[in-house]
């Protein structure tokens, strides 16, 4: 863990409507970013982390999948994956990439602030990468994940931490985006190595591991 464990969550109302609008229109930028080496490496490490505790074929859900990088990485490892995102354009990018690369992963448009469409105890694993901070009711989202996970199933979730030392892409777009995250009040909720695992445990999941790094915190939890 990093020293971010001494900080508490900054409670800010996530501008849900704003991010649905913005993310639908920045799909092209996200699609380009998938080709940046540091982003590819992070995606592969994240997929490996879930693969270490969830045996294929899963099934696995990638909630807030964006352009589908994590879902596709898991599908290549033999998992039955569905990616879900509130942005139609993001989902179309993910579907296009899956067709182009001939990878069997499904993608659906769905508002993650609503109850999930998965049946009770139907999932072996869930990814939720940098989506929690935008949702109006994060506890309800985690409770839904708990409902959908099988006994012994795993959740890997990450959220942004307020850290001015966060490494960012040198490209102007991503530098501006990171600045908005950190400097504009109310844009996102920030978490740390105390607040995120506490929120996860309050919804009935058992925290297996929690890690802090510059700019983000991650929790691996078991149902």
């Amino acid at each position: 863990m990093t020293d971010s464990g001494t900080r508490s969550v900054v409670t800010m109302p996530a501008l849900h409507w704003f991010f649905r609008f913005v993310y639908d229109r920045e799909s092209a930028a996200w699609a380009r970013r998938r080709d940046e080496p540091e982003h590819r490496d992070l995606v592969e490490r994240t997929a490996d982390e879930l693969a270490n505790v969830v045996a294929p074929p899963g099934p696995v859900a990638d909630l807030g999948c964006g352009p589908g990088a994590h879902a596709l990485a898991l599908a290549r490892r033999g998992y039955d994956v569905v990616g879900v995102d509130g942005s139609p354009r993001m989902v179309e990018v993910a579907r296009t990439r899956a067709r182009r690369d001939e990878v069997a992963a499904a993608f659906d448009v769905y508002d993650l602030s609503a109850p999930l469409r998965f049946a009770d105890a139907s999932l072996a694993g869930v990814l939720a990468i940098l989506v929690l901070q935008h949702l109006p009711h994060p506890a309800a989202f985690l409770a839904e994940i708990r409902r959908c996970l099988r006994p012994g199933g795993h959740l890997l979730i990450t959220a942004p931490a307020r850290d001015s030392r966060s490494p960012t892409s040198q490209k102007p777009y991503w530098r501006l985006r990171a600045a908005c995250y950190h400097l504009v009040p109310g844009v996102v909720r920030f978490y740390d190595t105390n607040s995120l695992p506490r929120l996860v445990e309050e919804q009935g999941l058992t925290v297996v591991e929690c890690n802090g790094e510059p700019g983000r915190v991650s929790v691996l939890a078991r149902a």
Side-chain angles (χ1 to χ4, degrees):
M1 295 183 184
T2 68
D3 61 356
S4 64
T6 62
R7 303 190 186 98
S8 60
V9 64
V10 179
T11 56
M12 298 181 181
L15 302 181
H16 182 55
W17 64 268
F18 174 76
F19 275 96
R20 289 188 64 182
F21 175 85
V22 170
Y23 282 143
D24 197 47
R25 284 153 181 79
E26 67 176 7
S27 54
W30 276 104
R32 289 191 298 269
R33 194 186 189 201
R34 73 179 184 226
D35 295 321
E36 296 178 6
E38 64 274 19
H39 185 62
R40 289 201 307 267
D41 291 346
L42 180 57
V43 166
E44 293 299 322
R45 290 198 306 271
T46 301
D48 284 343
E49 190 172 352
L50 190 66
N52 286 337
V53 293
V54 177
V60 173
D62 182 1
L63 305 179
C65 66
H70 295 93
L72 293 171
L74 286 166
R76 292 188 184 97
R77 288 163 170 79
Y79 288 87
D80 179 6
V81 186
V82 58
V84 179
D85 201 279
S87 164
R89 293 189 186 181
M90 289 286 193
V91 169
E92 184 54 38
V93 168
R95 288 172 175 166
T96 299
R97 188 178 181 191
R99 290 192 297 267
R100 184 199 68 189
D101 296 347
E102 299 183 342
V103 177
F107 295 96
D108 291 319
V109 178
Y110 191 71
D111 183 355
L112 292 174
S113 64
L116 299 175
R117 291 177 176 171
F118 302 101
D120 294 359
S122 62
L123 298 173
V126 171
L127 277 179
I129 306 301
L130 296 177
V131 63
L132 184 72
Q133 69 273 14
H134 301 312
L135 299 177
H137 304 293
F141 175 65
L142 287 164
E144 276 293 285
I145 291 173
R146 173 67 183 88
R147 176 186 65 79
C148 297
L149 280 172
R150 298 172 180 169
H154 283 78
L155 163 68
L156 178 58
I157 186 168
T158 70
R162 186 179 289 280
D163 188 337
S164 60
R165 300 168 298 166
S166 303
T168 61
S169 169
Q170 295 304 304
K171 295 182 179 180
Y173 172 83
W174 296 107
R175 291 174 65 86
L176 176 62
R177 194 173 187 275
C180 289
Y181 259 54
H182 286 83
L183 301 177
V184 180
V187 172
V188 301
R189 293 179 174 90
F190 289 92
Y191 293 86
D192 58 34
T193 52
N194 286 324
S195 58
L196 185 58
R198 182 170 63 248
L199 181 62
V200 168
E201 288 181 333
E202 286 172 351
Q203 309 315 312
L205 294 158
T206 299
V207 171
V208 176
E209 185 177 354
C210 177
N211 293 294
E213 57 185 291
R216 68 173 61 197
V217 56
S218 66
V219 166
L220 179 66
R222 182 179 62 248

